[in-house]
Amino acid sequence: MEAIARKLTLKFGFIQSSYWISQCAINSFAAVYLHAKNFDNTQIGFILSFAAILSLILQPLTASFADKSKKVTLRHLLLVLMFLVFGLSLLLYIMPGSFLLISVIYILVNAVEFTVNPLFNSLAMEYMNQGVPMNYGLARGMGSISFAVMSFFLGSLVDRFGADIILPVFLVCYVLVILSTYLFHDKLPVKSQEQKNVEGYSDEIVPEEEKEASGILTFFLEHKLFLLMLCGVAMIFYSHVLINTYLINIMEHVGGSGSDMGVSLSIAAFLELPAMAFFIYIVKKIKVSTLIKLSALFFAIKSFAILLAPNVYMVHFSMVFQMIAFALFTPASIYFVNDLIEKENRVKGQSMLGVANIGVAGTLANLTGGKLLDSYGVTAMLLTGTVVTAVGFLIICISIKEPDKQKNTGGLA
């Protein structure tokens, strides 16, 4: 099983690496690409917020389908969604650009991209819940390192060749996303009767009857504190989305360029690796609920540090807090939801986490961020983000409690 775990960790790392370099191109450099196509900040905000709104619809639908479907595997569902993204992106690349065409395709591509991310996490958890000791944090950290390299590389390419280089880079990256997802599968060894007896299985034990997945409304009625937690998650990610989307504006505000933006993104992503790679050991010492609260606090600290940054170097320094904010929150929240939510609703639970930190946060941040920038400037935008994130931290502290692992079998934290 250890050999299978190492192999699947490497394969999942390939998924994470290819996905996050594609995200770097299509999302982190969205403002750069769309500015070059004569979109202003408010229009960019609307495009990315509409993508987030559409993902709010797509994520619950795809999660419910994945929870209930007996015929279509999660991996096959992901491949269908990714071929859709590739086809739309290719259409945008080969057809003459127009305001309407770019807007519609950019919204659709980003919406589906936002939707597949939590499904990847569910894909990994399917194996972990079957007893495969994958190192999720290490695999996710591989994604961060790849993002860091791509940020630096793409920032330099944009400075040299212009923003038109972004879309072909994305298409090349997405071929790797499709390939890595196709390769992510492995047969688990069938346990002998002797192994089952050692692990406490008995022929007299009647297997637990599989329950039907809940509908969305029923799910939230049964998990009220989880719903409150999701509100807090959306708020702590508000400033995170603002910073990522409008980092080029922040950099220009303190005298930087697209190349500086790439460096800053690289610093943040490189520093995610240690926390993610060693998360499997950290969580043995500190409760996962405590780690989520700590990471939420550092989302607010990071936002405040960037608000006060007087120059490019201090913006770079502010990215150090990414190591305790986003890098800790990502694996901690995945593990927490896996422990908190019962087996039949786990894909839905992971998807709702994506709805909060990508859908809701992305919608609100992009809708308001562009308007704040155009009307009041960078400082007002960052101040708003810091206040909202601080309130989100307080909500996280109120809503997070240790999950009952006796109730939900397969807990990992």
Side-chain angles (χ1 to χ4, degrees):
M1 193 67 81
E2 289 289 338
I4 293 174
R6 285 194 295 271
K7 189 191 301 183
L8 285 174
T9 298
L10 184 62
K11 286 183 176 181
F12 192 63
F14 183 22
I15 289 179
Q16 290 293 317
S17 297
S18 55
Y19 173 78
W20 284 106
I21 60 175
S22 72
Q23 269 291 88
C24 179
I26 202 70
N27 189 262
S28 294
F29 279 76
V32 177
Y33 176 80
L34 293 172
H35 272 311
K37 300 299 179 183
N38 300 315
F39 288 76
D40 62 31
N41 292 318
T42 302
Q43 290 167 339
I44 292 169
F46 273 113
I47 287 173
L48 295 178
S49 63
F50 282 137
I53 290 169
L54 184 55
S55 76
L56 288 175
I57 301 169
L58 288 177
Q59 288 188 48
L61 288 177
T62 54
S64 292
F65 178 79
D67 277 329
K68 293 178 180 179
S69 176
K70 306 297 180 185
K71 295 181 179 179
V72 180
T73 66
L74 186 56
R75 179 167 149 267
H76 289 148
L77 176 61
L78 277 162
L79 286 169
V80 170
L81 291 172
M82 286 185 290
F83 273 112
L84 175 62
V85 168
F86 185 81
L88 287 168
S89 304
L90 187 60
L91 182 66
L92 181 59
Y93 180 64
I94 63 179
M95 291 185 68
S98 70
F99 183 89
L100 182 61
L101 180 70
I102 293 172
S103 299
V104 171
I105 293 182
Y106 225 84
I107 288 169
L108 291 173
V109 166
N110 277 278
V112 180
E113 273 281 85
F114 294 154
T115 300
V116 301
N117 186 33
L119 296 180
F120 283 138
N121 295 327
S122 296
L123 194 63
M125 289 298 157
E126 281 185 351
Y127 282 98
M128 294 176 75
N129 288 327
Q130 293 179 71
V132 181
M134 283 174 55
N135 190 334
Y136 171 87
L138 177 60
R140 180 59 184 81
M142 289 167 66
S144 295
I145 285 295
S146 300
F147 183 95
V149 173
M150 175 57 78
S151 298
F152 182 81
F153 177 66
L154 192 52
S156 299
L157 281 180
V158 168
D159 278 354
R160 185 173 179 183
F161 299 106
D164 284 337
I165 196 69
I166 292 171
L167 200 54
V169 168
F170 172 73
L171 286 167
V172 172
C173 293
Y174 220 70
V175 171
L176 297 177
V177 183
I178 294 170
L179 178 63
S180 64
T181 305
Y182 176 77
L183 294 173
F184 187 76
H185 61 92
D186 215 316
K187 287 186 178 180
L188 300 184
V190 178
K191 293 182 180 179
S192 67
Q193 187 60 48
E194 183 180 348
Q195 287 174 308
K196 290 181 179 180
N197 290 338
V198 169
E199 294 177 16
Y201 290 91
S202 170
D203 292 333
E204 298 177 4
I205 297 176
V206 179
E208 185 182 350
E209 183 181 348
E210 281 199 24
K211 297 179 182 178
E212 286 293 320
S214 305
I216 297 295
L217 182 59
T218 304
F219 175 78
F220 281 128
L221 288 174
E222 292 172 349
H223 301 90
K224 296 183 182 69
L225 268 183
F226 180 56
L227 178 58
L228 182 61
M229 170 194 160
L230 293 179
C231 293
V233 170
M235 294 181 79
I236 64 170
F237 268 80
Y238 178 81
S239 65
H240 180 76
V241 175
L242 284 180
I243 292 165
N244 281 0
T245 300
Y246 299 108
L247 186 57
I248 185 64
N249 302 84
I250 295 168
M251 278 299 178
E252 289 171 352
H253 177 69
V254 294
S257 64
S259 175
D260 294 314
M261 171 186 160
V263 170
S264 211
L265 287 172
S266 297
I267 291 170
F270 266 118
L271 290 172
E272 290 172 11
L273 179 61
M276 289 183 174
F278 291 100
F279 182 82
I280 195 170
Y281 305 106
I282 296 170
V283 78
K284 291 177 182 177
K285 304 290 184 181
I286 306 173
K287 290 180 179 179
V288 69
S289 56
T290 302
L291 292 173
I292 293 177
K293 293 172 187 175
L294 179 65
S295 64
L297 172 63
F298 274 86
F299 270 99
I301 291 173
K302 176 190 168 187
S303 182
F304 186 61
I306 293 178
L307 169 65
L308 297 181
N311 53 48
V312 169
Y313 300 106
M314 288 308 295
V315 174
H316 290 339
F317 174 77
S318 302
M319 293 297 175
V320 171
F321 298 115
Q322 184 89 343
M323 182 167 55
I324 309 175
F326 182 82
L328 265 188
F329 179 87
T330 299
S333 61
I334 302 301
Y335 277 52
F336 181 81
V337 170
N338 190 73
D339 277 342
L340 180 70
I341 306 300
E342 57 282 353
K343 179 182 176 182
E344 63 272 15
N345 287 312
R346 278 187 183 138
V347 177
K348 195 182 288 92
Q350 297 292 353
S351 184
M352 290 304 105
L353 191 61
V355 165
N357 63 32
I358 297 174
V360 177
T363 299
L364 296 177
N366 289 315
L367 268 177
T368 58
K371 190 65 178 175
L372 283 167
L373 264 178
D374 287 338
S375 301
Y376 304 104
V378 169
T379 301
M381 180 191 73
L382 290 174
L383 178 60
T384 303
T386 302
V387 171
V388 171
T389 298
V391 174
F393 161 65
L394 296 176
I395 293 174
I396 290 285
C397 289
I398 294 168
S399 61
I400 291 283
K401 297 184 185 299
E402 276 296 298
D404 183 356
K405 286 183 261 185
Q406 297 301 318
K407 176 184 173 184
N408 303 321
T409 56
L412 298 166

